[in-house]
Amino acid sequence: MSFSKIKMIFLVLVALAVSQTAKAGDPDILTDFILPPNLSQVDGNFFTFTGLRSLVSDPIPPSFKVLKANMEQLPALNGQSVSGAALVYPGQSVNPVHTHPRSAELLFVIMGSLEVGFVDSKNKLYTQTLQTGDMFVFPKGLVHYQYNADSKNPAIAISAFGSANPGTISLPNTLFNSTIDDNVLALSFKTDVATISKIKAGLQG
């Protein structure tokens, strides 16, 4: 095979790879915004989300709480490739290990401090202790967590996503609150069914 043919095949493969990467995000739209089927016109209320007001008016909750602002809560985000969330961490609370299959996450700490980490595809753990004003990025699809190690002071963070619907897959819930057979879980984790049952009971408590 000649060098020119090899070069042509390489360029075609690169073009295919680039096109697939471009398709990996939210679909592009050909209008300014997308209206739900039941609406023909909207005003500023359609683009407004008030679900985070409790962040400034309510007391700190007793356990970790996330306030989402994605396409489900704010339909105006459909087609905009962006969404967000507010996360509240009482003392010594954790946002359990999870992934976002459709977006990276950019976390901004606005109060307190957080220990954060993610695991890459080679099982390498990357950790950091964030202070108020710090930002941290969790790469798309990778398992990650946030933990407030301070027993006395809460922490609050804001997350931004590059998708109107980034999705959240909580590993504890997905594995132990699903209908996966206990024997399969026991074999997967090299333990016994009794231990699996105990983990499930703890998650339901």
Side-chain angles (χ1 to χ4, degrees):
M1 186 178 293
S2 67
F3 177 74
S4 60
K5 287 185 178 179
I6 293 173
K7 185 177 178 181
M8 181 61 70
I9 292 172
F10 175 74
L11 290 174
V12 169
L13 290 174
V14 169
L16 286 171
V18 170
S19 68
Q20 290 304 311
T21 301
K23 293 177 184 176
D26 288 357
D28 203 3
I29 60 174
L30 301 176
T31 57
D32 294 335
F33 49 87
I34 298 174
L35 292 179
N38 60 328
L39 295 177
S40 58
Q41 60 182 6
V42 295
D43 58 18
N45 289 316
F46 177 68
F47 303 95
T48 304
F49 180 66
T50 61
L52 300 185
R53 289 182 179 178
S54 62
L55 196 65
V56 294
S57 61
D58 292 354
I60 298 295
S63 58
F64 168 75
K65 183 177 183 180
V66 58
L67 303 166
K68 295 181 179 180
N70 60 35
M71 198 172 74
E72 183 178 347
Q73 292 80 28
L74 180 58
L77 291 176
N78 187 14
Q80 302 302 320
S81 299
V82 66
S83 61
L87 305 104
V88 185
Y89 313 79
Q92 291 190 320
S93 66
V94 65
N95 184 3
V97 287
H98 62 282
T99 69
H100 303 293
R102 293 180 288 277
S103 177
E105 175 182 1
L106 185 61
L107 183 86
F108 176 47
V109 181
I110 62 173
M111 186 175 83
S113 64
L114 289 172
E115 294 181 9
V116 302
F118 71 85
V119 180
D120 70 9
S121 58
K122 296 180 180 178
N123 288 330
K124 180 177 179 181
L125 174 64
Y126 298 82
T127 62
Q128 185 61 273
T129 300
L130 304 178
Q131 305 300 328
T132 301
D134 292 347
M135 299 180 82
F136 191 85
V137 62
F138 300 100
K140 179 179 177 180
L142 297 185
V143 173
H144 60 280
Y145 66 89
Q146 302 106 32
Y147 171 54
N148 178 12
D150 191 328
S151 61
K152 297 180 180 179
N153 299 303
I156 298 177
I158 301 293
S159 286
F161 301 95
S163 170
N165 185 19
T168 300
I169 299 175
S170 169
L171 270 62
N173 280 331
T174 299
L175 293 169
F176 299 105
N177 282 337
S178 68
T179 56
I180 298 175
D181 186 87
D182 285 359
N183 288 304
V184 172
L185 290 172
L187 288 169
S188 298
F189 288 94
K190 295 181 171 33
T191 185
D192 51 51
V193 171
T195 300
I196 298 298
S197 297
K198 187 177 290 187
I199 293 173
K200 286 186 172 184
L203 289 172
Q204 293 169 359

